[in-house]
């Protein structure tokens, strides 16, 4: 729709074109309500979804066509970030899940059934029994920690309390990694908005409305409050919720009138840091996964030796 509007095509013609792509219900809703004399903003507010609500807000600063394009570009940007993180971690996490699943299967079903077969016989299987007991404890711990972290995060996210967790960790100085990541997301979104022609203040006002990103909304509100109190940019950016590199680079960029370029430079540095961290995590996960596989091999070897031990006693 944004591209068609930029070609100065009538809105009715655009709606007819889009209705042919399987969007009859939404397009009909737009068409009928616009014909009733409702404003475009009012009509869009009645449509569920993230993009329509973003477009409504962008209409305060931009023409309709640019508002649609900006909303779509921000959505694509969010998806590209998620895809990048998932593409790096998909192999090590899949390997770890597979290794844990095989370990769980052997320690809870296969090996206990083998031990039950030789129960009552005078066989030395203490090492195998000890390994099974230890691995059972490890499996319980991994499952317990995973469930606790997962359920806690889902509850916090559902109740919009993820920001509270970050602020709680910040009190004790335990948010260094998260602070850098949040600063990166904040800088990247800010840069994207500035590239679309929004002013610094307008971009911050947009970011305040990002309810799906409470940390970004919180940082943007901090900036707006600081500007409103009369502080200059240098003092405003000295926010203890931000990464120290972000503060230094953005101050330098602002002083030489190249703030968007400074944001881009900071994002480049953090992306290299994120790649290194993810690589380290990937290596650690693979080490644990191969460790689990090694333990399984040892336990299977011990189980295979039991019949041979029995033959030696005959």
């Amino acid at each position: 729709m944004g591209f068609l509007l930029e070609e100065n095509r009538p809105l009715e013609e655009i709606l007819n074109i889009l209705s042919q792509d399987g969007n009859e219900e939404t397009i009909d809703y737009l068409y009928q309500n616009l014909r009733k004399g409702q404003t475009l903003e009012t009509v869009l507010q009645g449509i569920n979804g993230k993009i329509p609500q973003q477009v409504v807000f962008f209409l305060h600063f931009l023409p309709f066509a640019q508002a649609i394009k900006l909303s779509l570009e921000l959505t694509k940007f969010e998806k590209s970030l998620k895809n990048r993180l998932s593409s790096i971690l998909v192999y090590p996490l899949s390997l770890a899940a597979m290794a844990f699943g095989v370990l769980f299967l052997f320690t809870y079903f296969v090996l206990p059934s083998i031990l039950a077969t030789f129960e009552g016989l005078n066989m030395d299987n203490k090492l195998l029994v000890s390994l099974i007991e230890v691995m059972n404890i490890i499996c319980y711990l991994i499952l317990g920690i995973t469930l606790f972290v997962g359920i806690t995060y889902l509850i916090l996210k559902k109740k919009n309390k993820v920001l509270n967790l970050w602020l709680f960790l910040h009190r004790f100085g335990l948010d260094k990694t998260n602070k850098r990541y949040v600063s990166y997301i904040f800088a990247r979104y800010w840069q994207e908005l500035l590239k679309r022609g929004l002013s610094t203040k307008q971009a911050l006002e947009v970011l305040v409305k990002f309810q799906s990103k409470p940390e970004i909304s919180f940082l943007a509100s901090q900036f707006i409050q600081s500007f409103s109190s009369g502080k200059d940019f240098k003092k405003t950016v000295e926010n203890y919720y931000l990464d120290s590199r972000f503060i230094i680079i953005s101050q330098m960029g602002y002083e030489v009138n190249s703030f968007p370029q400074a944001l881009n430079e900071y994002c480049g540095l953090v992306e290299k840091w994120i790649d290194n961290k993810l690589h380290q995590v990937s290596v650690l996960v693979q080490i644990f996964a191969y460790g689990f596989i090694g333990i399984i091999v040892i336990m299977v070897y011990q189980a295979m030796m039991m019949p041979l031990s029995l033959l030696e006693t005959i």
Side-chain angles (χ1 to χ4, degrees):
M1 182 181 283
F3 292 108
L4 295 174
L5 285 169
E6 287 185 337
E7 295 177 358
N8 296 319
R9 295 197 184 188
L11 183 58
E12 184 175 348
E13 179 186 345
I14 294 173
L15 293 177
N16 288 330
I17 294 173
L18 294 177
S19 64
Q20 299 174 8
D21 295 332
N23 301 309
E24 292 91 350
E25 185 176 347
T26 302
I27 299 303
D28 183 63
Y29 172 84
L30 284 169
Y31 184 75
Q32 295 298 330
N33 285 278
L34 287 173
R35 290 195 65 182
K36 292 177 182 178
Q38 295 185 18
T39 63
L40 185 59
E41 182 177 346
T42 303
V43 176
L44 289 173
Q45 286 176 344
I47 302 177
N48 295 326
K50 181 179 179 181
I51 293 180
Q53 301 308 314
Q54 284 184 348
V55 172
V56 169
F57 184 75
F58 294 151
L59 285 174
H60 295 289
F61 313 110
L62 301 170
F64 184 42
Q66 294 182 27
I68 293 176
K69 290 182 65 177
L70 176 57
S71 181
L72 291 174
E73 287 168 357
L74 287 177
T75 302
K76 290 179 181 178
F77 167 68
E78 291 178 353
K79 290 182 178 179
S80 66
L81 277 179
K82 294 178 181 178
N83 291 336
R84 183 177 183 183
L85 295 176
S86 60
S87 63
I88 295 175
L89 291 176
V90 63
Y91 170 71
L93 290 179
S94 300
L95 180 63
M98 181 185 69
F100 178 78
V102 173
L103 180 65
F104 184 85
L105 178 67
F106 270 80
T107 56
Y108 277 87
F109 299 103
V110 177
L111 294 175
S113 64
I114 294 176
L115 290 176
T117 303
F118 296 98
E119 188 175 2
L121 300 176
N122 187 21
M123 299 184 63
D124 185 14
N125 56 6
K126 292 181 179 179
L127 178 59
L128 182 58
V129 172
S130 298
L131 282 174
I132 292 175
E133 291 176 350
V134 170
M135 296 316 299
N136 284 343
I137 295 173
I138 293 176
C139 286
Y140 276 124
L141 284 174
I142 294 175
L143 282 175
I145 293 172
T146 303
L147 289 174
F148 174 77
V149 173
I151 293 173
T152 302
Y153 178 77
L154 290 176
I155 292 174
L156 291 173
K157 188 175 182 179
K158 186 176 182 180
K159 295 184 177 181
N160 295 323
K161 299 295 184 181
V162 176
L163 175 61
N164 293 359
L165 176 62
W166 176 39
L167 297 179
F168 175 77
L169 295 174
H170 177 76
R171 292 182 182 179
F172 302 97
L174 302 175
D175 66 330
K176 183 178 179 180
T177 299
N178 191 60
K179 181 190 292 187
R180 181 162 294 177
Y181 178 72
V182 171
S183 298
Y184 164 73
I185 298 297
F186 181 64
R188 183 59 78 189
Y189 273 108
W190 200 351
Q191 180 196 21
E192 289 294 320
L193 293 170
L194 292 176
K195 284 166 57 178
R196 309 307 166 193
L198 274 68
S199 66
T200 300
K201 183 179 179 181
Q202 289 174 339
L204 290 172
E205 289 175 350
V206 171
L207 294 176
V208 168
K209 298 295 182 179
F210 270 35
Q211 301 301 324
S212 61
K213 304 284 185 185
E215 302 95 335
I216 306 305
S217 177
F218 172 76
L219 289 174
S221 65
Q222 293 270 311
F223 270 75
I224 290 177
Q225 291 174 10
S226 183
F227 283 136
S228 299
S229 64
K231 293 183 180 179
D232 59 12
F233 182 86
K234 186 175 181 180
K235 291 293 183 182
T236 299
V237 80
E238 290 176 352
N239 189 311
Y240 48 86
Y241 292 108
L242 290 169
D243 179 27
S244 58
R245 289 187 179 183
F246 176 88
I247 296 173
I248 295 172
I249 294 175
S250 60
Q251 286 178 337
M252 293 173 60
Y254 191 81
E255 289 178 358
V256 296
N257 295 320
S258 58
F259 181 58
Q261 292 83 352
L263 290 177
N264 186 58
E265 180 182 349
Y266 171 76
C267 290
L269 291 174
V270 177
E271 285 170 0
K272 292 180 180 179
W273 173 81
I274 290 175
D275 287 341
N276 290 333
K277 284 293 182 182
L278 290 176
H279 178 71
Q280 293 174 8
V281 171
S282 175
V283 171
L284 287 175
V285 170
Q286 291 182 66
I287 290 174
F288 280 110
Y290 289 129
F292 285 157
I293 294 173
I295 293 171
I296 292 171
V297 171
I298 293 174
M299 291 192 296
V300 171
Y301 173 77
Q302 290 292 322
M304 292 175 63
M305 292 298 294
M306 291 176 63
L308 296 178
S309 301
L310 180 62
L311 290 175
E312 291 178 358
T313 59
I314 297 175

